[in-house]
Amino acid sequence: QVQLQESGPGLVKPSQTLSLTCTVSGGSITTNYYYWTWIRQPPGKGLEWIGYIDYSGGSYYSPLLKSRTSISRDTSKNHITLQLSSVTPEDTGVYYCARGDRWGAFGSWGQGTQVIVSS
């Protein structure tokens, strides 16, 4: 059974770049046809889709965050990395990585990691 684990700094200063890693075990990030997705939840709000990198290395981002987002992968380490630049306090929230399939279902999630943007 695949497991996902997010990691990264819990506190980031405004204007800096947030960098989070999702380590995947129990399955390869290159397996057809999965989409390794980052999702976040600001406090008191619903889930927000950030973007994904797929099994072939292709990526796609939310139009709202595209200019500040980069998602990459390291196949040797079997992990996914999210970078979000120029953060503001509005980027505060719990960040999740999830495995999506071609039908849009997210069958596996990490436990999430809290990120606070504050000086």
Side-chain angles (χ1 to χ4, degrees):
Q1 182 178 354
V2 68
Q3 293 185 321
L4 296 81
Q5 178 68 58
E6 305 90 346
S7 60
L11 179 65
V12 184
K13 295 185 184 301
S15 82
Q16 291 186 340
T17 295
L18 166 67
S19 183
L20 298 176
T21 297
C22 175
T23 301
V24 179
S25 58
S28 172
I29 61 174
T30 62
T31 300
N32 297 343
Y33 293 96
Y34 289 118
Y35 299 79
W36 304 93
T37 306
W38 285 97
I39 296 164
R40 69 182 183 181
Q41 185 167 30
K45 297 184 179 180
L47 295 172
E48 179 182 18
W49 184 86
I50 299 171
Y52 68 73
I53 188 165
D54 68 23
Y55 53 95
S56 68
S59 58
Y60 187 78
Y61 308 126
S62 164
L64 296 176
L65 299 169
K66 182 178 181 180
S67 64
R68 300 195 290 127
T69 305
S70 177
I71 299 175
S72 59
R73 67 178 187 172
D74 186 328
T75 56
S76 67
K77 296 180 180 179
N78 212 44
H79 74 209
I80 308 296
T81 299
L82 167 70
Q83 290 192 309
L84 184 66
S85 64
S86 304
V87 296
T88 72
E90 292 188 345
D91 294 309
T92 293
V94 180
Y95 284 71
Y96 299 92
C97 67
R99 188 182 73 172
D101 62 26
R102 66 182 117 175
W103 296 282
F106 295 101
S108 298
W109 292 72
Q111 63 182 23
T113 187
Q114 175 74 55
V115 174
I116 297 173
V117 179
S118 175
S119 56

